[in-house]
Amino acid sequence: MRVLIAELKQETNTFVPQGTGLAQFENWHLWEGERILSEAPGLNWEVTGFLDVLAEAGIEPVPAIATMSISGGRVEQAVFDDLLGRLLAHIERAGEIDAVLLALHGAMVSDRHDDGDGVIAAAVREAIGPDIPLVISLDLHANITRLLVESVDAIAGFKTAPHIDHRDTGQRAARMLVKQLRGEAKPETRMVKIPLVTPASTHLHHLPGPFQRLMELSKELEAGPVLAATLFTVQPWLDIEEFGFAAVVVTDGDPDLAGRVAADLAQRAWDEREAFFATELVEPAEAIERALAHPTGPVVLSEVADGNGAGSPGDATAVIAALLEAGPPKTTLATMHDAEAALAAFAVGVGAEVDLMIGGKLDNIYNQPIRYTGVVEFAGPASFRFGGGGYTGLPMDMGLTAVVRHEGLHLVITSHSCFTIDPEIYRAVGLEPTEAQIVIVKSAGQFRSGYSDLAAEIILLDSPGMSSDRLDIYTFHHVPRPLYPLDRETTFTPVVG
């Protein structure tokens, strides 16, 4: 048997005006053919999970394309068409195949398609025909649509946030596929949409709360004829139709059971809705004061509203301005996505003083550029591989990068937007987070996979940006209404789709 494997992933934030181009995919990874097989070993990656199970089953993998962009604005249509075209060309060249395993995010939006992942799945289904199995893995922040569900045989989604089960999710998807190929199971997939959106910082599987309870429930449901049960808590910053939470259940040959279990899981999520709104957000000045007074470090300050992993540009300035005002006397580490400033620092060289206008160039809606002066401590290309539990082993290219120190503040200025969730981004330029008093991350929750074991304290910041937990500051034009909590009187009756 031969199974084609592929990945095509991007998470969109429609409140970000800048589009996602091909460079954003290339900056993380864009591999084709045999390169996928050579890169996969040892990675915490869905495709590695696919390969694990196919190898156990003695099935030949047919590598097609594997690419992922950091979260951002809508994918430029020409780029979407190009990447989908490459995937379809690989399918055509592959010859006879028995099935397809496809890793998607589930919240990709292009210039023309609000449901980018549904369009991808439907195109693959059309290419392979109705009888060849197609099984997909998804991030739990996927926005599930009818087109997506109708185009595939089965869906496996993450059960952790911070996401640390990439490889495991790939394995679960592949196991369902292998059972289908062997005639041991006939997947039936049903979904229930829920008119609900909640702050991403409360989507935490490792701390007591509604998310943990619902993820544990989904695991308990996966027994007997229930092959997979997933609650998708959706990327909150999407202003598109058919938006909201979703429960998706896959059973062995029993569509009615799939519908009943999905409806029960959806109702449980709805019943938990108020518990998702318990986040404490702290003003930057107060948080910095608390962090400096803490007897030990590092104190991690999470800049939720400028999360690169939530699609924000990573160039918000409010927190840097507060740090400059505080003049932190203890070592403080922070990041800024600003290619122009990185180049200017590189031009003057290590050891020189530089006077910059940083940030507020991409997010010029909630933030403005500020003046930043200091001594260049590092200047040059930089990259790292993720440690911690999330994306372990996958590479990230920071581009031309500079470290500019102003008193106790060491500012890492990158040319590429990067996940700041892992201490390795600082270590890549010679800074050690465990030796700092304050470490700034731009993330709602994924940073906990890299910092929970290091942090003396974690504080979530109430700062302006394009991925704030305060969802009421954004104007939603296209989401279905009523939607909780935008419409507090929203009611819910599960409807199986």
Side-chain angles (χ1 to χ4, degrees), residues 193-227:
K193 290 290 286 189
I194 312 163
L196 178 63
V197 58
T198 61
S201 65
T202 59
H203 302 169
L204 300 172
H205 75 275
H206 64 301
L207 295 178
F211 187 88
Q212 184 186 76
R213 291 190 289 271
L214 290 165
M215 291 303 111
E216 290 303 315
L217 173 61
S218 74
K219 294 177 186 177
E220 293 168 6
L221 293 172
E222 294 180 342
V226 178
L227 303 177

Side-chain angles (χ1 to χ4, degrees), residues 1 27 43 65 72 105 163 182 195 244 278 315 318 345 379 390 394 403 430 489:
M1 288 187 178
N27 290 346
L43 301 183
I65 182 172
H105 182 283
H163 307 319
R182 289 174 171 172
D315 76 334
L394 282 164
V403 178
E489 302 305 316

Side-chain angles (χ1 to χ4, degrees), residues 51-129:
L51 294 170
D52 292 338
V53 174
L54 294 181
E56 291 171 3
I59 295 174
E60 177 189 353
V62 181
I65 182 172
T67 188
M68 181 175 180
S69 165
I70 194 165
S71 305
R74 289 173 177 264
V75 178
E76 296 171 3
Q77 194 59 44
V79 174
F80 180 91
D81 293 341
D82 172 37
L83 295 175
L84 177 56
R86 295 193 208 189
L87 171 58
L88 297 177
H90 277 286
I91 292 173
E92 183 176 0
R93 291 196 299 267
E96 186 174 344
I97 56 174
D98 297 284
V100 174
L101 279 168
L102 181 57
L104 300 173
H105 182 283
M108 182 192 291
V109 179
S110 74
D111 288 338
R112 198 163 61 239
H113 304 303
D114 280 357
D115 180 18
D117 298 280
V119 170
I120 293 168
V124 171
R125 171 57 69 199
E126 183 177 359
I128 64 177

Side-chain angles (χ1 to χ4, degrees), residues 76-200:
E76 296 171 3
Q77 194 59 44
V79 174
F80 180 91
D81 293 341
D82 172 37
L83 295 175
L84 177 56
R86 295 193 208 189
L87 171 58
L88 297 177
H90 277 286
I91 292 173
E92 183 176 0
R93 291 196 299 267
E96 186 174 344
I97 56 174
D98 297 284
V100 174
L101 279 168
L102 181 57
L104 300 173
H105 182 283
M108 182 192 291
V109 179
S110 74
D111 288 338
R112 198 163 61 239
H113 304 303
D114 280 357
D115 180 18
D117 298 280
V119 170
I120 293 168
V124 171
R125 171 57 69 199
E126 183 177 359
I128 64 177
D131 300 323
I132 291 179
L134 168 58
V135 176
I136 64 173
S137 65
L138 293 175
D139 190 297
L140 62 80
H141 290 113
N143 184 62
I144 306 299
T145 65
R146 188 175 304 277
L147 177 62
L148 182 66
V149 171
E150 291 177 347
S151 299
V152 306
D153 291 89
I155 296 171
F158 295 173
K159 294 185 181 294
T160 64
H163 307 319
I164 58 173
D165 62 338
H166 303 77
R167 188 171 185 172
D168 175 72
T169 301
Q171 291 172 350
R172 288 186 284 113
R175 289 191 188 104
M176 286 193 288
L177 180 73
V178 169
K179 285 183 178 181
Q180 185 177 6
L181 287 173
R182 289 174 171 172
E184 298 171 356
K186 183 181 182 298
E188 293 284 352
T189 302
R190 295 294 183 271
M191 75 162 180
V192 173
K193 290 290 286 189
I194 312 163
L196 178 63
V197 58
T198 61

Side-chain angles (χ1 to χ4, degrees), residues 15 236-239 243 471 474-479 481 486:
F15 295 101
W237 304 282
L238 286 176
D239 185 20
F243 171 76
L471 300 175
Y474 304 108
T475 302
F476 289 85
H477 296 284
H478 305 292
V479 297
R481 306 296 287 265
L486 305 182

Side-chain angles (χ1 to χ4, degrees), residues 244-320:
F245 269 44
V248 177
V249 173
V250 184
T251 60
D252 178 10
D254 193 336
D256 292 336
L257 176 63
R260 291 196 302 274
V261 176
D264 289 344
L265 181 56
Q267 186 64 56
R268 288 287 294 273
W270 179 252
D271 293 343
E272 291 273 17
R273 63 191 182 281
E274 281 294 343
F276 278 99
F277 294 87
T279 305
E280 179 194 10
L281 299 176
V282 181
E283 292 288 336
E286 179 185 344
I288 293 165
E289 183 179 0
R290 280 171 50 179
L292 290 173
H294 201 284
T296 60
V299 176
V300 175
L301 305 186
S302 171
E303 196 173 352
V304 176
D306 194 32
N308 305 77
S312 288
D315 76 334
T317 53
V319 175
I320 301 300

